[in-house]
Amino acid sequence: AEVSAVARFFITATGAAARRGLVANTSQPWIAGPSGVELFAPPKSDVLAYLDDGGAQPPRHARVTAVLPSEGATAEYRVGPLLPGGMVAPSATVEEVARVTPLSKRPTEPGADAALAAPLLDATLRAIGGEILHGAMGPIFPALAPAGGFDREARGEAISMMVNDALSPTGQRYDIYRFQWLPPRRVSSLESFWLHPLPLRIRVN
């Protein structure tokens, strides 16, 4: 509840989107993934004064990380103070405290990046074609299902794992899709896909 309250307050105060998949245009900032709202650690001196010397309890603030696409940057903000019960104080403010990892080096955001890249990824698999993919690995690619080239129950399924390419050129962002084979569930557990990497990687800009 507190994370949601902070996110709503930040969105209202800054005009940011809750996540990348909800941006209204290419310049709108968004809260950066699952680590976008966290607790902002107070200064150590304030904590020690409270714990050791009976001083005032340090006010609680949240740290919000947001992507600024128009600048190709990521910024951290201090939001608060926060009140007991998961509420943001009426007097709360939003203060930028640091510019951090550039957008091109940020970790992937599966819920957003994957949705944006999925059509291109499927089109790439179809362009490679069933003759090559089936010949090398069998009918395990869902993207080829409309052409009859996919049989999950009999042969299992190829699933993609998305990672950020940290070696992307300056100012650009690439995601690498690595493929794993998920055996049919009648013969193996879901976690077994980690044991079956496939010799296929696709890089998406």
Side-chain angles (χ1 to χ4, degrees), residues 99-163:
R99 291 294 174 100
V100 288
T101 310
L103 172 59
S104 60
K105 305 301 180 185
R106 283 278 304 169
T108 57
E109 298 180 32
D113 291 1
L116 294 171
L120 179 59
L121 187 66
D122 288 348
T124 301
L125 292 172
R126 288 193 291 269
I128 296 173
E131 182 176 354
I132 294 176
L133 293 175
H134 291 175
M137 289 168 272
I140 59 175
F141 291 88
L144 301 180
F150 175 55
D151 190 347
R152 178 187 288 113
E153 296 301 322
R155 303 295 296 272
E157 177 180 359
I159 60 175
S160 60
M161 309 290 292
M162 181 174 58
V163 296

Side-chain angles (χ1 to χ4, degrees), residues 35-74:
S35 62
V37 180
E38 300 174 315
L39 184 65
F40 198 102
K44 183 177 180 180
S45 58
D46 293 352
V47 174
L48 292 177
Y50 170 65
L51 295 176
D52 297 340
D53 301 328
Q57 180 177 346
R60 297 177 68 251
H61 291 79
R63 179 177 65 235
V64 177
T65 303
V67 174
L68 312 177
S70 61
E71 303 177 36
T74 307

